Amino acid sequence: MTTEDVDQKALDVFPGRVVRKDLVQDIKSGVNVPTYVLEYLIGQYCATDDEESLEEGLEKVKQILSKHYVRPDEAEYVKSEVRERGRYRVIDKVTVRLDEQQDAYIGSFVNLGLNDVEVHEHLVSKHPKLLGGGVWAIIDLEYLPDNANSPKSLFGIESFKPIQVSNLDLDQLKDRRREFTRDEWMDLLLQSVGYDPSAFSDREKLLFLTRCLPLVESNYNYVELGPRGTGKSYLYREISPHSILISGGKTTVAKLFLNLNTGRIGLVGRWDVVAFDEVGGLQFSDSEAVQMLKDYMESGSFSRGTEELTAQASMVYVGNIDLDVEGVLKSSHLFEPFPDDMQDLALIDRFHYYLPGWEVPKMRSEFFGDQFGFIVDYFAEFVRELRKESYGDAINEEFAFGDHLNQRDERAVRKTVSGLLKLLHPHGEYTKEELREYLEFAMEGRRRVKEQLKRMGGMEYRAVEFSYLDLATKEELYVPVPEEADEALIPPGTQQAGTVYTIGESEGRHAPFRIETQTLPGSGKTNISGTPGKKMKESFETACDYLQANMRELRRDETLDEYNINVQVLNPSDANEGGETSVGLLVGIVSGILDRPVRSQAVVLGAMSLMGELVAVSSLIDKLQLAADSGAKTVLLPAKNKEDLAKIPDELLDQLQLVFYTDPLDAASKAIELE
């Protein structure tokens, strides 16, 4: 299959509905006309691959635009032409409302500035979109001198030819979809939004099309964060007249939901997609905005004043991650670019899909070709009509969800699968393996959300091992997240003497550390490097002072003054502090002095006072989970934490061997397995 094959099939199956995308840009650079107006005209006059006919068609389109497209600054001239000639053809956008007092339909011309033109009922009946946002059209305006000195308009509509798709035969489109294979149809959709599919891998194609899901799926909550220049906001700004893009800055509850002063419903009630660009700069001037967003993203409804209203707008958040993903995951989480008041766990849990923007290639000229694709407006109406349908139950035919997916997870996955099926298989025909592909892709995007919630919220969100059951084979299959598949911090096997792993506190979060200790004969000098902050230095001093006072219990004839101790702290999560790590530091020093390695894949938890009094480990379950996630098999902790055993989830107890110690030197003895 080649792009030429897809082009020819598109021309044959959808005559007048496809256009060569590079022609649009050639004309648009010289005429400030909406893309969907251009594409409709080009589709009418240039729907061919014959170069001579293309040139003739392009000239025809340019003539039509030059002669009839109304610019706002030409409005009075055009009205004069209608009066002088009796009739005149214009290209303008017409919106219609029902005037209840006159019991008549009244039309408004956007560029021409006419607001009182009477519109016949048959026109509204034939083009109902006139009442729902308006239609761009070629209109023959006539002058009505008999209406002079009366309330009626001097202008009337003699003929009306829409140049947007004012109605769509969805059944016809579904039937014609059968003429294409899945891959051909995917390429045609990509060509329709302006891309050359031959430039992308299969996964990249799916990532690009996933950006369309908010357009095809009602109340779909989508986030994409990644590098600049990958076209994250392009689709919502250029492709659909039913989406609105808000670029950073402040927004209000009245603007988003309902203005109590005017009673006018906000953006969520007037658009299919509300997209926030540069989400890092988004600010809400109302304190209740985030709570209302949470309610709306959960249920599609919101309460404002005394009313509860529903809407179907999908919510899209796009923005930039300035660091590489590996660096972000070591130091923080993938929602870090969000404003502080939106780093709300309940809000983040409402997202149905997190698209990995770092996998999307940056836009280059070779990504845009001269292929044919659907006219933008036809594509926009096609996906809009499909919002009325749902394929969410398709999963039940072949698969079942694993135990780690809760109800919200299942709903998110179902909506993503439904959207992909509607986009790629609107006729309802697909194979089991295609359904499996969409299911795994949907689970990955939802799991990416849950993985970040686990980083931010701890054990409450620990169930992230997403899986599904193949009903035919009874096999359970697990779905990973690519960026989470890095090597564990704690590798298997015995490390060099003096190496120990611990977990410390850093500004309200937990951070893993690898401590490497070098002990050499010397004069009692101590040094710690690579340390993230004051608290770990204090922990190191406490460990050294304690060992100085109790060295004879370790080696009867030696003191700490006979060694130079150098500690280097490796800090993979880029934590700013490292409190509560004194026992781990002491174990590392003892391991180095005795030249005995710490047991394999062990983490030492705990803090102590200068006199050796142990402090129970706080947030124990979260630290145990972090230890397990880091690759630990054994965790040493103070005996004071034995009373917390009943609270530890069984799955953690199955993963980890817990070893309790009674004092700091007992911790060292058990860590290096002294007899």
Side-chain angles (χ1 to χ4, degrees):
M1 179 193 70
T2 65
T3 54
E4 289 79 9
D5 295 332
V6 176
D7 286 348
Q8 189 57 56
K9 189 174 285 190
L11 285 165
D12 294 341
V13 178
F14 291 101
R17 297 301 196 192
V18 292
V19 63
R20 218 178 82 184
K21 292 293 177 171
D22 61 320
L23 301 179
V24 178
Q25 296 305 318
D26 289 345
I27 298 180
K28 190 171 177 63
S29 61
V31 185
N32 187 21
V33 183
T35 300
Y36 34 86
V37 174
L38 267 182
E39 291 203 359
Y40 186 92
L41 292 173
I42 293 174
Q44 293 293 304
Y45 296 100
C46 307
T48 176
D49 56 357
D50 179 72
E51 288 298 328
E52 185 175 342
S53 299
L54 271 178
E55 289 299 323
E56 292 177 4
L58 282 174
E59 285 303 314
K60 180 70 172 175
V61 171
K62 290 176 182 177
Q63 290 174 13
I64 291 172
L65 290 171
S66 174
K67 188 173 182 180
H68 300 297
Y69 177 71
V70 178
R71 296 194 300 268
D73 61 342
E74 297 177 328
E76 294 304 319
Y77 167 78
V78 171
K79 285 189 278 188
S80 174
E81 287 293 293
V82 178
R83 180 180 184 276
E84 296 303 319
R85 299 186 184 190
R87 64 180 51 81
Y88 189 78
R89 179 166 292 177
V90 299
I91 295 175
D92 203 348
K93 184 178 183 180
V94 182
T95 60
V96 173
R97 61 182 175 85
L98 175 64
D99 189 310
E100 297 174 357
Q101 292 184 339
Q102 298 183 48
D103 189 26
Y105 290 107
I106 305 299
S108 298
F109 287 65
V110 174
N111 285 350
L112 198 54
L114 296 173
N115 296 308
D116 57 354
V117 179
E118 189 168 329
V119 178
H120 292 295
E121 289 182 18
H122 78 274
L123 198 61
V124 177
S125 176
K126 187 176 181 181
H127 306 291
K129 193 178 174 184
L130 284 164
L131 296 166
V135 173
W136 282 89
I138 299 174
I139 306 137
D140 284 331
L141 276 178
E142 60 178 334
Y143 191 69
L144 305 173
D146 293 342
N147 288 346
N149 301 316
S150 78
K152 293 186 177 181
S153 174
L154 290 169
F155 301 93
I157 296 175
E158 186 177 80
S159 68
F160 183 93
K161 182 181 180 182
I163 52 176
Q164 272 182 272
V165 177
S166 56
N167 53 61
L168 178 81
D169 188 338
L170 187 59
D171 290 334
Q172 181 189 69
L173 183 144
K174 290 180 178 181
D175 184 59
R176 293 180 179 181
R177 159 65 180 89
R178 293 184 173 89
E179 300 294 325
F180 297 80
T181 67
R182 196 287 296 264
D183 290 344
E184 288 173 341
W185 185 255
M186 179 182 284
D187 285 357
L188 179 58
L189 294 182
L190 283 169
Q191 291 171 194
S192 298
V193 295
Y195 297 125
D196 178 357
S198 65
F200 307 116
S201 67
D202 289 345
R203 178 170 171 83
E204 287 169 345
K205 290 179 184 181
L206 202 53
L207 290 172
F208 275 117
L209 286 179
T210 303
R211 290 173 171 173
C212 298
L213 294 189
L215 295 169
V216 76
E217 191 72 21
S218 298
N219 299 114
Y220 189 73
N221 305 321
Y222 167 94
V223 58
E224 178 181 353
L225 301 176
R228 290 174 173 80
T230 57
K232 294 185 288 293
S233 59
Y234 165 77
L235 187 78
Y236 313 110
R237 183 179 61 248
E238 296 289 343
I239 298 303
S240 174
H242 308 301
S243 68
I244 184 170
L245 184 69
I246 302 171
S247 297
K250 286 188 176 182
T251 191
T252 64
V253 167
K255 182 179 180 181
L256 277 179
F257 297 106
L258 181 71
N259 189 318
L260 292 178
N261 294 325
T262 64
R264 181 175 172 80
I265 196 165
L267 299 177
V268 298
R270 291 184 279 125
W271 298 89
D272 288 351
V273 176
V274 178
F276 297 98
D277 194 12
E278 304 293 349
V279 68
L282 182 62
Q283 299 177 28
F284 295 103
S285 55
D286 309 79
S287 58
E288 75 258 53
V290 171
Q291 183 59 48
M292 291 189 69
L293 268 180
K294 285 192 287 190
D295 292 343
Y296 178 74
M297 289 169 66
E298 176 68 16
S299 63
S301 63
F302 58 93
S303 297
R304 182 83 165 132
T306 59
E307 296 186 66
E308 181 164 340
L309 302 172
T310 61
Q312 294 190 325
S314 295
M315 306 300 287
V316 171
Y317 303 81
V318 296
N320 301 316
I321 288 182
D322 295 323
L323 303 173
D324 66 285
V325 173
E326 183 179 351
V328 172
L329 289 175
K330 285 181 178 179
S331 61
S332 185
H333 53 80
L334 293 176
F335 283 97
E336 189 177 32
F338 270 48
D340 290 343
D341 58 350
M342 289 187 67
Q343 291 188 30
D344 180 294
L345 298 182
L347 175 72
I348 289 172
D349 200 14
R350 265 72 169 168
F351 282 109
H352 298 130
Y353 199 91
Y354 188 137
L355 188 135
W358 50 90
E359 291 190 39
V360 178
K362 290 194 174 188
M363 294 296 98
R364 301 194 299 269
S365 58
E366 59 263 32
F367 291 171
F368 306 94
D370 58 358
Q371 292 87 9
F372 284 81
F374 286 127
I375 298 167
V376 162
D377 200 45
Y378 186 74
F379 175 78
E381 292 309 306
F382 149 54
V383 294
R384 193 182 203 204
E385 281 297 305
L386 286 172
R387 289 170 73 88
K388 301 172 185 176
E389 303 182 5
S390 175
Y391 293 2
D393 292 339
I395 296 169
N396 301 345
E397 301 166 7
E398 304 286 354
F399 308 107
F401 291 111
D403 293 339
H404 275 215
L405 284 89
N406 60 31
Q407 186 176 16
R408 190 172 283 159
D409 300 327
E410 290 187 15
R411 185 166 64 249
V413 172
R414 288 185 186 279
K415 288 181 77 68
T416 301
V417 170
S418 174
L420 290 170
L421 288 175
K422 285 191 282 187
L423 270 178
L424 294 168
H425 307 271
H427 56 324
E429 298 172 11
Y430 45 85
T431 67
K432 179 178 179 178
E433 289 311 306
E434 288 168 339
L435 181 61
R436 185 194 303 276
E437 179 185 359
Y438 307 145
L439 174 60
E440 292 182 354
F441 188 77
M443 292 178 77
E444 176 203 315
R446 174 57 184 174
R447 178 173 173 176
R448 185 170 288 109
V449 175
K450 292 297 289 289
E451 290 281 1
Q452 306 320 303
L453 286 171
K454 188 177 78 169
R455 289 172 176 271
M456 301 167 72
M459 288 299 292
E460 180 183 352
Y461 299 98
R462 65 182 180 274
V464 297
E465 294 296 327
F466 281 14
S467 64
Y468 66 92
L469 187 71
D470 186 317
L471 296 178
T473 65
K474 305 304 180 184
E475 180 183 10
E476 185 172 16
L477 298 135
Y478 287 82
V479 178
V481 180
E483 66 272 9
E484 298 284 348
D486 297 329
E487 290 185 10
L489 169 66
I490 306 173
T494 303
Q495 304 296 301
Q496 288 186 340
T499 299
V500 66
Y501 294 91
T502 187
I503 292 173
E505 294 286 333
S506 179
E507 298 179 333
R509 69 182 181 94
H510 314 305
F513 298 95
R514 174 184 166 105
I515 297 169
E516 296 182 355
T517 307
Q518 183 184 56
T519 56
L520 299 170
S523 56
K525 293 180 180 179
T526 60
N527 178 62
I528 183 169
S529 61
T531 177
K534 179 180 176 183
K535 290 183 179 179
M536 184 169 273
K537 289 180 180 178
E538 291 175 351
S539 293
F540 176 61
E541 290 170 2
T542 298
C544 289
D545 290 345
Y546 176 83
L547 197 54
Q548 177 77 281
N550 296 274
M551 186 68 175
R552 295 191 183 280
E553 293 186 35
L554 187 66
R555 282 195 166 176
R556 190 178 299 268
D557 299 325
E558 294 180 359
T559 68
L560 203 61
D561 290 337
E562 297 176 38
Y563 293 91
N564 286 340
I565 299 172
N566 294 302
V567 169
Q568 183 177 21
V569 179
L570 301 183
N571 178 17
S573 64
D574 291 331
N576 294 321
E577 288 290 348
E580 300 186 17
T581 54
S582 49
V583 176
L585 286 160
L586 181 136
V587 169
I589 296 170
V590 172
S591 172
I593 289 174
L594 298 182
D595 195 25
R596 291 180 62 99
V598 173
R599 62 170 71 189
S600 174
Q601 293 179 280
V603 165
V604 179
L605 299 180
M608 64 184 186
S609 71
L610 189 63
M611 302 301 293
E613 183 176 348
L614 298 174
V615 180
V617 176
S618 60
S619 303
L620 178 62
I621 297 176
D622 288 340
K623 288 177 180 173
L624 291 177
Q625 182 66 59
L626 179 55
D629 292 344
S630 299
K633 300 299 182 185
T634 302
V635 176
L636 288 86
L637 62 159
K640 290 184 176 181
N641 285 109
K642 282 185 177 181
E643 60 189 44
D644 297 317
L645 271 173
K647 304 174 187 176
I648 301 172
D650 290 341
E651 57 263 36
L652 269 180
L653 293 174
D654 290 341
Q655 287 180 268
L656 299 170
Q657 177 189 5
L658 302 185
V659 177
F660 294 96
Y661 57 84
T662 56
D663 61 62
L665 289 181
D666 184 40
S669 177
K670 289 177 176 175
I672 62 179
E673 298 182 289
L674 286 175
E675 295 184 359

